[in-house]
Amino acid sequence: MPSDFKHSQAKLRLISQYLKKGRYSFASKYLIQLRLDSKTPPQTIEYFHYLGALALKRGLGTDAETYFQQASELANKHEIRWQLQNKEDFANYFIAIGNYAAAEQLLLENLAYFTERDELYAKSLTGLQLAYVKIYQEQYSDASSFLEKSQTEMIQSANKYDMVRYYQYLSRLLIQWQKGDPEDYLDLALVVARERQFRELIAHLLLLKGKVGILKRGNNFESMGYLEGALFYTQELELNELYPEVYHEMALLYESFEEYSTMETYLNMASQSLLRNVKNYPISARASYLSRSLRKQLEADLKRCQEILTLDQKTPQENSSSPLEEDSTLDDLFLVDARLFDDNPSYTQDVEGSQAFLSEIKVAVSKHPNERNYEDLLKI
């Protein structure tokens, strides 16, 4: 086996590990080296694939689509079958924009391929991703079926990243389906994620822990610690796609404290971050991006919050960073027309320059008074 091929494979493994651990600057460094080494179509396909995966993790949807399309076209041109990971990441792009049908079609093709060849682990991993799609489609029975079929392989897997993802998806299913208690699964997943430094997964798991505490009621201060931990990692890793959901959960938490002005502020921040994110996707994808269930939840919660403030004869806090003007409604905010995107900045496709554009809305959220110390939540 030629030495340059071995070096290329070693770099691919390093890039994959750095992406899993949220070490995006290191991944960028090796991607640049990989581009210089890419002399064959398979190597170039892998380069575009990982470039797309990195762009997607940073919420750079337009760049991600471009790179995935380049990889796909090159694979078709040279009649090279995409690897499992390539299609999975491309499916993640479709999930991000709310095009669940396209994601499902891509993954079902993989599932048929691996079923025909009796490749059990690859089949289970594809089933895990299909469960993720079904959760977002709110087809919970189908999601449960895919998770059940993947259970044995994922739990016993030597690949701890996939095992943690299994528990993450299972926990999200239980939360949204309102069946069962996911806390034990989340605790186990957090232990493994911290040991292996899967920082992006830690952000998602802390968010889910916060959700569970809010749903259970009575665990509000504990939920505050988990959500602050999720926000810490979201800011640290520039996980733009996670901001709206974290801010939304913070709003629901402050609702439980009956602090409705603060609740409204967080709902506005969630709306603003969602709008900032949509600007970074192709125009053709923006309508589906905004049709996701989170937008509907934000709209309903903001309406409920404002009704409470009106009944209490309280004036909502003035917030200069709020996306809401005095006479505007959330429908105005989510209106998809060219006016929303006139000021859309141009984003470089240079990996080193792909910095997240949400730094201006990073905030230092003051901890709610409580006696517990949650600093251990932020440990890597």
Side-chain angles (χ1 to χ4, degrees):
M1 183 178 292
S3 59
D4 58 342
F5 179 81
K6 289 183 178 180
H7 290 157
S8 176
Q9 292 301 304
K11 288 172 185 174
L12 287 173
R13 287 192 293 271
L14 283 170
I15 292 168
S16 178
Q17 288 301 314
Y18 284 135
L19 287 177
K20 289 177 180 178
K21 294 185 177 183
R23 306 290 184 181
Y24 301 139
S25 59
F26 289 102
S28 299
K29 173 184 174 182
Y30 281 100
L31 270 170
I32 293 171
Q33 294 181 16
L34 184 66
R35 181 67 183 107
L36 297 174
D37 295 341
S38 297
K39 300 175 182 177
T40 66
Q43 290 175 326
T44 306
I45 290 170
E46 291 291 351
Y47 166 74
F48 283 129
H49 156 241
Y50 280 112
L51 206 56
L54 177 61
L56 187 60
K57 286 182 179 294
R58 293 198 163 192
L60 303 173
T62 302
D63 291 343
E65 182 189 50
T66 299
Y67 296 135
F68 284 137
Q69 288 290 358
Q70 287 176 310
S72 179
E73 290 170 5
L74 195 58
N76 291 334
K77 178 180 178 180
H78 293 277
E79 298 183 349
I80 299 171
R81 175 172 173 78
W82 268 30
Q83 299 298 317
L84 169 65
Q85 184 66 39
N86 300 58
K87 283 200 172 185
E88 181 183 334
D89 284 332
F90 204 2
N92 285 337
Y93 167 77
F94 288 124
I95 293 171
I97 65 173
N99 190 346
Y100 304 122
E104 184 177 6
Q105 180 182 349
L106 205 60
L107 292 168
L108 285 174
E109 290 174 6
N110 257 13
L111 188 64
Y113 179 86
F114 294 124
T115 300
E116 182 182 342
R117 286 155 181 77
D118 200 26
E119 296 182 24
L120 187 58
Y121 187 81
K123 176 183 173 182
S124 298
L125 193 57
T126 304
L128 178 65
Q129 194 68 356
L130 277 165
Y132 189 56
V133 173
K134 292 299 181 181
I135 290 171
Y136 276 95
Q137 290 177 313
E138 299 182 358
Q139 297 175 10
Y140 301 131
S141 181
D142 290 342
S144 178
S145 177
F146 279 120
L147 284 173
E148 186 177 354
K149 292 174 183 176
S150 301
Q151 179 180 7
T152 301
E153 289 296 318
M154 293 298 102
I155 291 178
Q156 297 177 358
S157 173
N159 187 326
K160 300 305 179 186
Y161 186 84
D162 292 337
M163 186 191 79
V164 171
R165 283 201 306 162
Y166 171 81
Y167 286 123
Q168 176 197 340
Y169 297 167
L170 176 59
S171 298
R172 185 173 281 276
L173 172 63
L174 293 175
I175 291 170
Q176 294 186 202
W177 206 7
Q178 298 181 10
K179 288 195 175 184
D181 188 344
E183 280 212 271
D184 289 343
Y185 302 126
L186 288 171
D187 290 340
L188 175 60
L190 269 170
V191 169
V192 177
R194 285 188 176 122
E195 285 178 352
R196 300 302 178 99
Q197 298 183 25
F198 299 144
R199 300 193 299 165
E200 182 182 355
L201 291 183
I202 292 173
H204 286 276
L205 293 169
L206 290 175
L207 171 62
L208 293 177
K209 286 282 286 186
K211 281 177 176 281
V212 171
I214 294 171
L215 290 172
K216 285 187 172 182
R217 304 183 184 278
N219 294 335
N220 294 338
F221 292 124
E222 189 169 333
S223 294
M224 176 68 77
Y226 289 125
L227 292 177
E228 286 177 352
L231 182 59
F232 169 84
Y233 281 105
T234 299
Q235 294 173 331
E236 182 77 9
L237 303 178
E238 299 178 335
L239 301 175
N240 298 331
E241 290 299 316
L242 208 55
Y243 273 112
E245 192 172 3
V246 173
Y247 287 145
H248 181 231
E249 292 303 320
M250 292 292 278
L252 297 180
L253 181 62
Y254 277 100
E255 181 182 22
S256 70
F257 294 138
E258 297 185 0
E259 297 183 16
Y260 298 111
S261 293
T262 307
M263 175 190 178
E264 184 186 40
T265 297
Y266 274 107
L267 288 172
N268 288 340
M269 292 168 67
S271 303
Q272 184 180 36
S273 57
L274 194 65
L275 286 171
R276 288 179 181 271
N277 285 351
V278 76
K279 290 183 180 182
N280 212 29
Y281 281 87
I283 293 176
S284 60
R286 290 170 184 170
S288 62
Y289 183 92
L290 289 176
S291 69
R292 301 181 308 172
S293 60
L294 180 58
R295 174 254 171 118
K296 299 173 185 176
Q297 293 170 18
L298 286 172
E299 185 176 33
D301 290 339
L302 185 59
K303 180 180 179 181
R304 186 178 75 253
C305 178
Q306 291 175 337
E307 287 174 351
I308 293 172
L309 287 169
T310 301
L311 287 173
D312 289 346
Q313 296 181 338
K314 293 178 180 178
T315 303
Q317 278 185 335
E318 292 185 1
N319 186 348
S320 59
S321 66
S322 169
L324 295 176
E325 298 296 338
E326 188 172 347
D327 298 326
S328 69
T329 66
L330 203 61
D331 276 334
D332 296 327
L333 284 174
F334 288 115
L335 182 63
V336 183
D337 71 29
R339 292 172 298 173
L340 270 178
F341 312 112
D342 286 342
D343 60 343
N344 188 23
S346 58
Y347 298 103
T348 175
Q349 292 184 351
D350 184 341
V351 177
E352 288 188 316
S354 293
Q355 299 299 320
F357 62 96
L358 282 180
S359 58
E360 71 271 18
I361 68 165
K362 288 184 178 180
V363 292
V365 180
S366 299
K367 291 190 175 182
H368 198 280
N370 63 84
E371 298 178 357
R372 295 193 55 180
N373 180 7
Y374 293 105
E375 290 181 358
D376 60 309
L377 292 176
L378 307 183
K379 291 179 181 178
I380 298 175

